[in-house]
Amino acid sequence: MQINTPRRRRTRLTRRGRIVLIATGACVVAAAVAVPLLRPDMGNRRPASLTIPEGWRTSQVYAAIDKALGVPAGTTKKSIPKAKLKLPPDARGNPEGYLFPATYPLNGKSTPESVLSYMVKTANEKFNGDQVAAGPQRNPMSLYQTITIASIVQAEAETKEDMGKVARVIYNRLNSGMPLQMDSTINYAKNRSTLRTSESDTQIDSPYNTYMRMGLPPTPIANPGEEAMLATISPPAGDWLYFVTVKPGDTRFTANFEEQQRNVEEFNRLHQKSQGSAQNS
C-alpha cells in the first residue's frame, strides 16, 4: 500500500524517550485486584500471593507462575493445552492479552492450570463488562482487536494520562492507511525490552513488524490492565499521528511530521548528553 508518510532514517514515531524501563518483577500494580484461588478446605491458612503487573508478556507470566508454585521452568507453558482456557476463537489458543494483571492468592493445591484459568476468567469478566464491551460498538474493532490495541497502549504510554492519546494515535494511523511503526511490536517479535530500535530491526521478517506490515499485529503483545483498556475504548479526540517522550514526564503528541522530527532531534540530543554524562562519571 502506498504510504504518504515522509521517510526519514532513524526517526521514531513511538515512545523512545522513556528512560526507565519497568524491570521484570519490580513493578507493584496499584490497581491490582484480588482473585480468590482458595479452596474451602484451606481453613485459616494464609496463602502466598502472585502479582502480575500490567504489561507483562505471557512468557513473563509463565515464568512467574513456575517460580511461585515451585515447579520446573517451562511447566506452566506446557500446561496450556490441559488448562482448557476459555479464550475467544480469534486467540487460537494463545492466551496473550488474557492473563489479566492482578494479585492472585495461592495455596498448596494451586496448579499452573488453575492459576491460568483464573487469570483468563478474570480477563473475560473485565473485558465483557458493559463499559468495555461497548467499545467495539463505537469503534470498528472487534473485542480481540481492542485488546491488541490496549496491549500496545500499555507498552507505549509513559503515564496513565498518555494512554488515551496513544490510543488515538493508533486509531488515526489505522484510519489514515499508515503503518503503526511501533517499536514495542518489534520488541515483542525479538523477545526483548529496549529503547533502541535500529534500522535493521525495522526490516525484520515478522508479522509483528508494524514498520513493514500494515494494520495491527496478529495478537496482543502483552497483557493490558484495566486503565489501558478504558483508554483504548474511550480515547480523547485529536488529530495526532506521532508522539515521542522527549524526557520523563514530557511526551509530545503532534499531527505535524516536521514538528515530530524536531521533537525526536531534541530527544536524541538529550539522550546522547545523558549517555556522555554517565560515561564521564
Side-chain angles (χ1 to χ4, degrees):
M1 179 178 292
Q2 182 66 34
I3 301 171
N4 296 323
T5 308
R7 294 188 61 82
R8 180 176 182 273
R9 287 179 61 83
R10 304 190 67 81
T11 295
R12 295 290 171 261
L13 305 178
T14 55
R15 179 188 45 82
R16 294 176 60 241
R18 183 192 295 181
I19 304 303
V20 180
L21 288 176
I22 299 176
T24 301
C27 175
V28 177
V29 183
V33 296
V35 181
L37 296 182
L38 302 179
R39 305 287 181 83
D41 59 353
M42 280 294 294
N44 294 322
R45 284 177 55 190
R46 184 183 181 89
S49 64
L50 171 63
T51 295
I52 303 301
E54 291 137 340
W56 265 17
R57 300 168 186 163
T58 53
S59 58
Q60 294 171 291
V61 177
Y62 297 156
I65 296 173
D66 286 343
K67 183 176 180 180
L69 298 183
V71 297
T75 299
T76 299
K77 183 177 181 179
K78 293 177 182 177
S79 73
I80 294 294
K82 294 186 294 182
K84 297 182 180 179
L85 304 176
K86 297 186 182 303
L87 298 168
D90 290 348
R92 298 180 180 179
N94 181 357
E96 191 75 83
Y98 278 80
L99 302 181
F100 193 79
T103 295
Y104 295 88
L106 306 173
N107 64 51
K109 294 185 178 181
S110 296
T111 64
E113 293 90 339
S114 69
V115 176
L116 289 169
S117 293
Y118 268 95
M119 288 180 176
V120 173
K121 178 176 180 291
T122 304
N124 282 322
E125 290 173 352
K126 295 289 184 179
F127 297 157
N128 291 316
D130 292 342
Q131 191 172 10
V132 173
Q137 298 175 16
R138 293 193 294 268
N139 299 307
M141 298 287 170
S142 69
L143 177 58
Y144 191 71
Q145 290 173 319
T146 301
I147 294 170
T148 300
I149 294 174
S151 73
I152 299 174
V153 169
Q154 186 79 66
E156 293 284 344
E158 186 191 29
T159 65
K160 174 184 174 182
E161 290 71 27
D162 289 340
M163 286 181 173
K165 288 185 176 181
V166 172
R168 178 54 65 194
V169 168
I170 293 173
Y171 286 123
N172 287 346
R173 292 181 71 81
L174 290 172
N175 292 336
S176 299
M178 299 169 64
L180 294 184
Q181 294 183 309
M182 297 286 171
D183 293 351
S184 57
T185 64
I186 289 181
N187 282 340
Y188 185 78
K190 296 179 76 70
N191 192 28
R192 69 182 189 187
S193 295
T194 181
L195 297 176
R196 310 303 298 180
T197 299
S198 67
E199 285 295 321
S200 62
D201 288 337
T202 66
Q203 304 299 314
I204 64 171
D205 183 15
S206 169
Y208 294 91
N209 183 355
T210 55
Y211 279 80
M212 299 291 291
R213 298 178 182 242
M214 300 296 292
L216 294 173
T219 71
I221 62 168
N223 294 283
E226 199 164 13
E227 289 178 349
M229 279 295 294
L230 294 177
T232 298
I233 64 175
S234 299
D239 61 354
W240 312 294
L241 291 171
Y242 314 99
F243 65 94
V244 61
T245 299
V246 175
K247 56 186 176 182
D250 183 11
T251 299
R252 301 177 189 177
F253 295 81
T254 180
N256 184 278
F257 185 73
E258 287 70 28
E259 183 179 353
Q260 170 71 3
Q261 287 180 304
R262 293 192 294 272
N263 291 336
V264 170
E265 288 168 359
E266 183 176 349
F267 161 76
N268 287 332
R269 287 195 303 271
L270 292 173
H271 189 70
Q272 291 167 0
K273 183 178 179 180
S274 65
Q275 280 187 326
S277 299
Q279 291 172 355
N280 292 334
S281 63

